[in-house]
Amino acid sequence: MTAISTEQLTKDMQASAQKLEEAGLIPQSQDQPLNANDLLFYLTETSMPMADLLHQHGLFLDGRGLNYDLAQFDFIGQIANKVVTERQAGYLGGVWKQLDLSTDEDMDSNGTYILTALVALEILYGPQPA
């Protein structure tokens, strides 16, 4: 598992801003460049059970910064894709119920936020093509 300070995360995000925006990560404030809070927003706008699941699989924020384990991204992505698939099917009794996901106005973003964050982290810290 790797931890990256929010300051370093901001620097890395600003250096890759175009790639991140092409991947769907957008600044929360249009009058400021991308920063760590923009990415953290995608990870923190979820239920406590989903946050616990992310934490169990090495994706969480603590005093050291953002912790992540690239090896766990496939599993986390599978769960997030299941959330999206169930929402599209109108089925909110499976993983939605297990993870106590929101059915308010943000319900369409419950899985896509996580997927967007994973893609952004892969762009920043995943294996780089030769």
Side-chain angles (χ1 to χ4, degrees), residues 35-122:
N35 64 58
N37 289 329
D38 297 318
L39 177 62
L40 298 175
F41 171 82
Y42 285 83
L43 294 173
T44 58
E45 292 300 307
T46 193
S47 67
M48 289 302 294
M50 176 62 106
D52 287 344
L53 179 105
L54 294 174
H55 192 279
Q56 290 170 15
H57 292 279
L59 187 56
F60 60 93
L61 184 66
D62 67 8
R64 298 183 309 155
L66 179 64
N67 295 266
Y68 64 91
D69 181 352
L70 290 171
Q72 294 293 317
F73 281 15
D74 186 51
F75 176 81
I76 295 168
Q78 288 176 26
I79 296 296
N81 276 313
K82 190 170 185 179
V83 167
V84 171
T85 301
E86 286 188 6
R87 164 67 176 114
Q88 290 171 342
Y91 177 64
L92 305 181
V95 72
W96 278 75
K97 188 173 183 176
Q98 290 173 324
L99 297 175
D100 191 30
L101 295 173
S102 171
T103 56
D104 65 11
E105 67 275 0
D106 290 331
M107 74 186 293
D108 289 328
S109 300
N110 275 301
T112 55
Y113 278 179
I114 302 297
L115 293 171
T116 300
L118 293 178
V119 168
L121 288 168
E122 292 244 0

